[in-house]
Amino acid sequence: NAGVTQTPKFRILKIGQSMTLQCAQDMNHNYMYWYRQDPGMGLKLIYYSVGAGITDKGEVPNGYNVSRSTTEDFPLRLELAAPSQTSVYFCASSYSEETQYFGPGTRLLVL
Amino acid sequence: GNSVTQMEGPVTLSEEAFLTINCTYTATGYPSLFWYVQYPGEGLQLLLKATKADDKGSNKGFEATYRKETTSFHLEKGSVQVSDSAVYFCALSETQAGGSYIPTFGRGTSLIVHP
């Protein structure tokens, strides 16, 4: 199993550009999550999904969108990048309330 | 709502010292409790977990006991190594209204172990 994979690993965006962060898991987990991690601030939940076709907002959803058309994939879309979105983004998956499995992260720099 | 409070870091220790990282939580019901570890440049990975009161989770020499009476889940290790240097996150997961499980993470505690 590859576990949770994320692409790209690193990206620089200009203000106002858009991009999609990709996330995939091969463990048939029903739950998937997107977090951002700012230095010294821990993890903040952006969006989550409890299954294909179902998504919901987390703590900091503004400026982001998600979709879940399949069990495996959970892309995160940034429509108009802003410097405040400079962060490290982690995707995770789990089977209900059990252990979360994290991807390696995407470092995003918005200039 | 739910919350997790961890001691602030960094925690700096010499090799073979005893480690305690405090974690307390607030939850409405009976959550599962977790410790995750994040090594530099990597994502988080599960270190140990406990799913009910008085359970002890253990892994790689680390231990934590689910104390419902004190709402705590402190992480301990008897003798730390340089390779234990990382950021440690305490977390809980509990059923929300509507039946979904949304985890709550602490802010993380950085551990630095010197030779």
Side-chain angles (χ1 to χ4, degrees), chain A residues 32-98:
Chain A
M32 294 188 75
Y33 313 82
W34 274 106
Y35 296 92
R36 59 178 288 171
Q37 184 180 35
D38 300 321
M41 298 301 292
L43 296 173
K44 294 189 176 180
L45 182 64
I46 305 171
Y47 272 95
Y48 67 98
S49 167
V50 303
I54 307 170
T55 62
D56 209 345
K57 297 177 181 179
E59 183 184 359
V60 290
N62 291 345
Y64 307 94
N65 277 298
V66 293
S67 61
R68 183 107 181 262
S69 57
T70 66
T71 299
E72 295 78 18
D73 300 299
F74 191 42
L76 177 71
R77 179 82 176 162
L78 282 70
E79 291 293 349
L80 292 170
S84 61
Q85 294 177 305
T86 293
S87 190
V88 181
Y89 292 84
F90 289 102
C91 178
S93 71
S94 70
Y95 182 71
S96 297
E97 79 280 19
E98 296 180 5

Side-chain angles (χ1 to χ4, degrees), chain B residues 9 15 23 36 81:
Chain B
E15 206 165 24
C23 172
Y36 288 87
Q81 306 300 312

Side-chain angles (χ1 to χ4, degrees), chain A residues 35 41-45 92 100 102, chain B residues 3-6 34 36 44 89-92 102-108:
Chain A
Y35 296 92
M41 298 301 292
L43 296 173
K44 294 189 176 180
L45 182 64
Q100 286 192 296
F102 285 79
Chain B
S3 67
V4 174
T5 302
Q6 292 181 233
F34 306 82
Y36 288 87
L44 281 71
F89 291 89
C90 185
L92 68 82
I102 303 304
T104 301
F105 284 83
R107 292 178 64 166

